[in-house]
Amino acid sequence: MKDKTKLINAGRVKRYTGAAVNPRLVRASTIVFDTVEQMNEAAKQCNNSVEYYGRRGTATTFALTQAIAELENAEGCYVYSCGTAAITSSLLAFLSHGDHVLMVDSVYEPTREFADGTLTRLGIEVSYYDPLIGARIESLIRANTKVIFLESPGSWTMEVQDVPAIAKVAKQHDVVTIIDNTYATPINFRPLDVGVDVSIHSATKYLCGHSDVMLGVASANAASWPTLQKYSYQLGHCAAVDDCYSALRGLRTLSLRMSQHNDSAVYLASWLQKQNLVHSVRHPGFDDCPGSEYFHRDFSGGNGLFSVLLKSGNQQALDAMLNSFEHFKMGFSWGGFESLALGSMTMSNRRTVTDWQDTEPILRLHIGLEDVEDLKADLAQALAVYANYL
Ligand SMILES: *Cc1c(COP(=O)(O)O)cnc(C)c1O
């Protein structure tokens, strides 16, 4: 079955939907049983498909986890109250005191904070590696290395990783690989198909897609699923069923939205590349982006996110530009229907082992679903404002 068809059908099982098109919204803490036999029977499948106690999920939760597992070709999927919880729980599931974890240097900031904070506090060694390292990661694996954490493309700077090469080396050394796959969504890259053990999404982004939900999911292959499930359950994770419902609704239009975000982003990134004040554009699909060959090999599409390095700027020019936007609002997150912009004078404070030599201010754009010509006009006027401060 092709992806577009899968997105329409995934998780729409009669047991969850009844006669309706969409799964039932089942809000519950307590599930009641009439007989001991029924209760014992429910206990057998309480983690994935049968209602037992609210924290373990209801029909709405199961419809979502089953849908994501199907899309990721996974053995199982766990749902969390946000993407960050999915990341921290996946790491805690596979790491113990005295273990070592290799983290990609271009990792999402809160993941770095958790690694340097909580993991270090628990006596877990953390070291960082170059996102472009590929199979050479073998030289960094120690006797106590238990997890390699990946994220591709990298937050803000878009370096694309050679995920299959890293997964292969990891497997040879019995190291678990966990990837933050949020950029790709479950349709543009399938990490488990190339040997990764756990794939995570901040469903807050494109899965829900409307900037009104916080949610996270982690899916695992057969070897890693029991561990991921056991410790995520022990940590007490459970997501609100209303939010699971929103993710299921988002899933049905994901392919359509992603195509439009991607088309508009490629169009605007290409236009920006030709503007005088633009030093360069970081878009994983463009040939000058580090690792773009892996993007073309492994991904079946992009999204609305890319970064722009601006020439010869200063903080004042960058701030004035951000203040001038009409359609690009400043805000964290991305993946909703609206356009967003964030600016930073440097990336060097977010790197440990790789140099960020560019001194240009960086603008991170999320291209929403507005008309692309309106967005182009907004970018053009903002560049004119920027020029006034140089
Ligand atoms: C937003 C984001 C997260 C965190 O997700 P939340 O749902 O906000 O906790 C993790 N990884 C990436 C790449 C993100 O963009």
Side-chain angles (χ1 to χ4, degrees):
M1 205 190 296
K2 301 264 199 251
D3 281 349
K4 283 184 186 170
T5 313
K6 266 194 197 170
L7 283 173
I8 300 307
N9 293 302
R12 285 179 49 216
V13 178
K14 273 271 185 287
R15 186 167 62 235
Y16 308 142
T17 61
V21 171
N22 288 293
R24 292 172 288 123
L25 182 60
V26 183
R27 296 195 186 97
S29 55
T30 301
I31 307 296
V32 288
F33 304 94
D34 292 329
T35 66
V36 172
E37 290 73 23
Q38 278 174 8
M39 190 163 149
N40 291 342
E41 196 50 40
K44 287 183 198 155
Q45 291 184 72
C46 65
N47 284 321
N48 47 45
S49 59
V50 174
E51 287 155 352
Y52 185 71
Y53 176 55
R55 185 170 3 98
R56 292 181 189 260
T58 68
T60 322
T61 323
F62 302 143
L64 176 63
T65 52
Q66 189 170 321
I68 301 291
E70 198 177 312
L71 289 162
E72 293 264 25
N73 289 329
E75 179 74 11
C77 166
Y78 215 94
V79 63
Y80 308 81
S81 56
C82 66
T84 303
I87 292 167
T88 59
S89 315
S90 299
L91 286 164
L92 287 173
F94 294 96
L95 289 166
S96 306
H97 181 87
D99 289 348
H100 169 235
V101 55
L102 279 162
M103 306 278 308
V104 64
D105 207 24
S106 49
V107 76
Y108 179 65
E109 274 291 288
T111 308
R112 180 184 283 271
E113 275 175 47
F114 176 76
D116 294 346
T118 304
L119 292 185
T120 304
R121 181 168 59 79
L122 295 176
I124 294 157
E125 283 181 74
V126 178
S127 61
Y128 291 88
Y129 67 89
D130 183 340
L132 300 170
I133 200 165
R136 287 180 292 116
I137 199 160
E138 185 155 31
S139 66
L140 301 181
I141 294 177
R142 308 174 190 170
N144 61 340
T145 306
K146 289 286 156 56
V147 170
I148 298 176
F149 192 91
L150 306 91
E151 180 183 330
S152 179
S155 275
W156 284 75
T157 46
M158 300 292 165
E159 298 92 337
V160 187
Q161 296 191 252
D162 189 349
V163 177
I166 293 176
K168 190 172 164 203
V169 169
K171 201 127 287 178
Q172 286 160 358
H173 291 265
D174 229 5
V175 171
V176 170
T177 43
I178 304 175
I179 191 168
D180 182 337
N181 196 32
T182 302
Y183 175 97
T185 80
I187 56 173
N188 284 334
F189 178 45
R190 293 217 163 74
L192 271 55
D193 286 0
V194 300
V196 173
D197 297 300
V198 179
S199 170
I200 296 168
H201 295 277
S202 166
T204 307
K205 309 291 163 58
Y206 289 112
L207 280 180
C208 289
H210 292 71
S211 303
D212 52 0
V213 174
M214 301 294 303
L215 202 69
V217 289
S219 306
N221 58 17
S224 297
W225 172 240
T227 304
L228 179 71
Q229 182 183 49
K230 177 170 141 189
Y231 291 107
S232 296
Y233 174 70
Q234 284 187 10
L235 286 166
H237 286 292
C238 62
V241 292
D242 299 71
D243 295 339
C244 294
Y245 188 92
S246 294
L248 282 162
R249 174 182 276 204
L251 214 52
R252 309 307 171 200
T253 57
L254 181 65
S255 162
L256 210 55
R257 287 184 287 112
M258 290 296 280
S259 304
Q260 186 60 58
H261 283 292
N262 180 57
D263 288 354
S264 296
V266 169
Y267 174 79
L268 292 172
S270 309
W271 177 79
L272 279 163
Q273 229 175 7
K274 295 185 216 113
Q275 304 309 303
N276 270 337
L277 287 169
V278 172
H279 170 272
S280 56
V281 167
R282 278 286 177 109
H283 185 293
F286 288 11
D287 289 344
D288 58 349
C289 183
S292 63
E293 64 270 34
Y294 309 127
F295 186 80
H296 294 302
R297 185 191 63 192
D298 299 337
F299 285 67
S300 56
N303 66 21
L305 205 61
F306 65 89
S307 295
V308 184
L309 298 180
L310 298 163
K311 274 184 197 158
S312 59
N314 51 62
Q315 187 78 55
Q316 226 190 345
L318 185 62
D319 291 353
M321 178 185 210
L322 287 164
N323 285 338
S324 78
F325 279 125
E326 181 189 355
H327 298 296
F328 290 88
K329 303 296 179 197
M330 272 174 282
F332 303 100
S333 195
W334 41 269
F337 48 77
E338 80 289 6
S339 288
L340 295 169
L342 286 175
S344 177
M345 285 302 292
T346 179
M347 283 288 111
S348 59
N349 56 340
R350 299 168 198 249
R351 293 287 182 276
T352 318
V353 296
T354 43
D355 273 354
W356 180 261
Q357 265 135 10
D358 293 304
T359 52
E360 289 79 16
I362 184 164
L363 187 67
R364 207 271 307 265
L365 298 175
H366 174 254
I367 307 303
L369 300 176
E370 300 90 343
D371 189 284
V372 76
E373 295 305 327
D374 286 336
L375 296 179
K376 188 160 96 177
D378 202 15
L379 289 165
Q381 71 76 27
L383 283 170
V385 168
Y386 184 82
N388 280 336
Y389 285 83
L390 301 182

